[in-house]
Amino acid sequence: MRLTHLAIACLVSLPCAVFSQPFDNCPSQAFLMQDAKAQLYGIDLVSAKPTILSSALTFTSEANNESVNAVGFNYKDQYLYGFSRQSPKSVVQIGSNYEMKRLNVTGLPDTNFYVGDIQVTGEQANQSAMYYVYTPNFGLYEINLEGDLDAPITARLLPATETWNLGIFDFAFHPQSNLLYAVESNGDLHEINVAENTTKFITQVDIGDDTGAFGAAYFDINGQFYFSNNKSGKIHKVDLSISPVVGYTPVANVFTSGPKSSQNDGARCAIAEVEVTDSSIDFGDAPLPYNTSLEQSGARHLFDPNSTGSNLIYLGDTVDGENINTDADLINNPVDASDDGVSFVTAISAGQDSQIIVNASASSFLYAWFDWDQNGGFSESERIITKYQLNQGDNSILINVPSNVKAGQTWARFRVTDGSEASLITATGGVLGGEVEDYEITTFASAVYPGENDWVTLAYEDKWPFAGDYDFNDVVVNYRTTQLIEGTNVVGYKIDGQLIGVGATYHNGFAVSLKETVNNTTYSILSREVDADNIRFVINGELQTGSFLEANTEQAILIFMQDTWLHVNKQSGCEYFRTESNCDVNSKVTFSMTIPLKVPKAKILSPGTLLDPFIFATEGFYHGDFLVGKNARSWEVHMKNQAPTEVFDATLFDLSGADDVSQQESGLFFLTENGLPWAIEVGVQWLHPLEGVDITDAYDSFANFAQSSGKQNPQWFNRYNSNNVAVRGEQ
């Protein structure tokens, strides 16, 4: 047991007013001094958790009302030392009871010192300690902490250091090389040799927009250098394991986020490890070369900072901790089963929006990064969600996928917090509270029809095989299809749409057959080729459950809506959905379905472009006398000259008095004697006719276009009577 001078004095019954004791061991935590009236915190650099060690440092015989700066930890005697501004200004020793003892130091100029640290040299048995303090224009001073610290000590100015004028707010000694390192507010890293009284500019490390006073600096035993921004609380880390810096350029990254303050100063035992000591620290799972482990400043969250197990912020059903100090730990650690809060419900395809659903334990804030270029890192340019407010439960979010995304396997990182962070967090570093979840994902190249940000409009008449009112607004859909491509193969389809009009008295469903006919050749996806269990379908941002691939058919037919009326809300005073004057403000019904294939299929053998979208009669509702007693699903309306599906009742082509003149043997379907259709595809977002207005009255060139099979008036949709068409609502 080592006894201090004070302890010996107490044992021999000498007057003893203060029982100042050293710290028991070399602490792993960092010490952070803050505020105008000195408060001392312990900072776990791994988790950023602050612990108040002393809310008010005191002197033996007087209250303290001033700040303490230039703090350093002397691991030879296990005391902290600093510079107190309380009159008379003095160097102070701080023990484990957080009382300050003034040292009788002479030779210092009448100024305040904010920058300081302690250099310990020599082997264990013959170590010596020097305390260094610095102020621009006054220079660097050396204070010998050897010998009797109750005796007067003379500070020594190192020659020529008063001309340095370094704009630094703290520095720290490297535990092996005994060189000092400091960072200026713009990220300039400096190396200082106190033995030679020299400074050397190393590089400007990347601190992003986190500029300002870096008021606390630390080292660990492995030569990792940490510096903290007063304003943001962010603690950056630089690998300086090779010191002096020769032959390489140091790089900074955010290590963790600590408490912010207008006034910071820090110290740490430089020969202590920085390692995980708390079981409630959650790490990510992305493998090397992603920055995931602690030694790579990986993303991590102390999810239970108050150790109560209540009011936790996390994603999904649960959160748990890991101990991932090194890359080897990451390799040996299985994927975190608690990463269960993000569902990818539509394919992630180039140039399109992708739907995700994020489940949050409570109201919170989300950050996300996608490694689009698959380079093994999450750059700030790949940040796609920034402090997005989540509600408790499921949250539907659209992800905008870049058009130049690289197809293949990659990773995404999601971080959730309570939103109290002083500045935006990055894809690395520690955060107090919340959780990080990493996901391996697949990105696809794509062939999109009509285009990545475009729609075609599909409009249907539901009185087939009779002409009806011919207003083409019984079902109106904005529509887009995507082939998901890997190499030369199609691996799935994504179909997006917006239901924008329902002007039907009848009840109609909407479906798509994965089929395309080109030059009398039909390309199809069969039902057995579809990975039905992994179809993902979203309506209005909500993930749907159930079976969407129609059963008992050879052809792959996807049912989007059994009854369009079930998905719309009529505006007050309106009989239909967005097909009457002043009835255009109801929100469109959005939908997206991703349909994976079991086995990739050659693109040249696969259907594309429009595919085969159609409407069908909803079971249980009247749809004309001719359907009474028949299976309602057997009634369909397709695009002109598109053959119906195998479910269709072909006897409906032979109804007496019908206006339809389909000729199956000639490949003519769903058209009148004049060549007019019951379903149309318009190459833009179209203004459909108002209720009861014949399309030929709303668009006077349409008849020529349809009857000429598109050879005449191809831009017919640009000429319309504005009083006869529905206004395009903004929602």
Side-chain angles (χ1 to χ4, degrees), residues 437-672:
E437 293 193 350
D438 290 347
Y439 291 87
E440 187 174 20
I441 59 173
T442 302
T443 56
F444 298 98
S446 60
V448 186
Y449 177 82
E452 293 172 355
N453 300 302
D454 300 321
W455 301 101
V456 295
T457 302
L458 310 178
Y460 297 87
E461 272 294 304
D462 70 352
K463 294 296 194 298
W464 184 91
F466 305 100
D469 55 11
Y470 217 61
D471 54 11
F472 275 91
N473 62 24
D474 294 336
V475 177
V476 187
V477 175
N478 286 337
Y479 180 82
R480 178 193 301 132
T481 68
T482 304
Q483 287 179 317
L484 305 176
I485 298 170
E486 287 184 353
T488 59
N489 294 323
V490 173
V491 296
Y493 290 83
K494 180 169 177 274
I495 300 173
D496 299 287
Q498 299 172 336
L499 180 60
I500 61 171
V502 178
T505 303
Y506 292 157
H507 288 246
N508 301 290
F510 179 73
V512 179
S513 176
L514 299 185
K515 179 177 63 174
E516 178 187 31
T517 300
V518 180
N519 297 325
N520 298 319
T521 300
T522 298
Y523 302 90
S524 297
I525 299 296
L526 302 180
S527 183
R528 64 174 179 269
E529 296 178 292
V530 174
D531 183 2
D533 291 339
N534 287 306
I535 292 173
R536 294 293 180 266
F537 184 36
V538 175
I539 297 181
N540 286 337
E542 295 186 5
L543 183 64
Q544 307 297 297
T545 58
S547 179
F548 311 110
L549 181 67
E550 190 160 28
N552 303 316
T553 63
E554 182 180 15
Q555 179 66 46
I557 301 170
L558 287 307
I559 306 298
F560 285 74
M561 298 177 188
Q562 291 285 355
D563 184 352
T564 56
W565 274 119
L566 292 178
H567 299 279
V568 301
N569 293 306
K570 292 187 294 185
Q571 188 175 336
S572 177
C574 300
E575 186 176 357
Y576 301 103
F577 176 69
R578 300 172 66 99
T579 65
E580 302 158 90
S581 294
N582 301 315
C583 293
D584 60 329
V585 298
N586 301 65
S587 296
K588 302 168 185 174
V589 180
T590 64
F591 58 85
S592 181
M593 185 183 291
T594 298
I595 307 112
L597 302 184
K598 292 178 180 177
V599 177
K601 188 168 185 174
K603 190 173 185 297
I604 60 173
L605 300 177
S606 302
T609 61
L610 187 68
L611 301 174
D612 177 20
F614 64 94
I615 62 172
F616 60 91
T618 302
E619 192 67 41
F621 292 92
Y622 177 78
H623 209 284
D625 292 342
F626 65 92
L627 269 184
V628 174
K630 290 181 176 289
N631 176 10
R633 172 63 188 86
S634 68
W635 178 94
E636 300 175 348
V637 170
H638 294 253
M639 295 293 143
K640 179 179 174 179
N641 295 331
Q642 172 65 60
T645 74
E646 63 198 84
V647 182
F648 181 77
D649 183 352
T651 65
L652 297 177
F653 283 134
D654 301 321
L655 291 179
S656 176
D659 296 302
D660 178 82
V661 295
S662 296
Q663 298 177 23
Q664 300 181 65
E665 65 280 3
S666 301
L668 302 177
F669 299 97
F670 301 102
L671 75 165
T672 70

Side-chain angles (χ1 to χ4, degrees), residues 278-355:
D278 195 307
S279 62
S280 64
I281 295 178
D282 173 66
F283 281 81
D285 299 304
L288 290 172
Y290 292 97
N291 291 336
T292 300
S293 68
L294 180 64
E295 71 179 0
Q296 299 296 333
S297 302
R300 60 201 180 278
H301 291 250
L302 181 65
F303 60 80
D304 191 7
N306 299 317
S307 301
T308 63
S310 61
N311 300 319
L312 305 185
I313 299 293
Y314 54 90
L315 300 177
D317 293 331
T318 186
V319 60
D320 56 27
E322 299 90 29
N323 193 319
I324 305 179
N325 287 286
T326 67
D327 290 341
D329 294 333
L330 175 63
I331 294 171
N332 295 328
N333 196 67
V335 172
D336 186 355
S338 72
D339 284 3
D340 58 353
V342 181
S343 299
F344 297 85
V345 295
T346 60
I348 304 171
S349 55
Q352 293 199 57
D353 288 340
S354 178
Q355 188 84 32

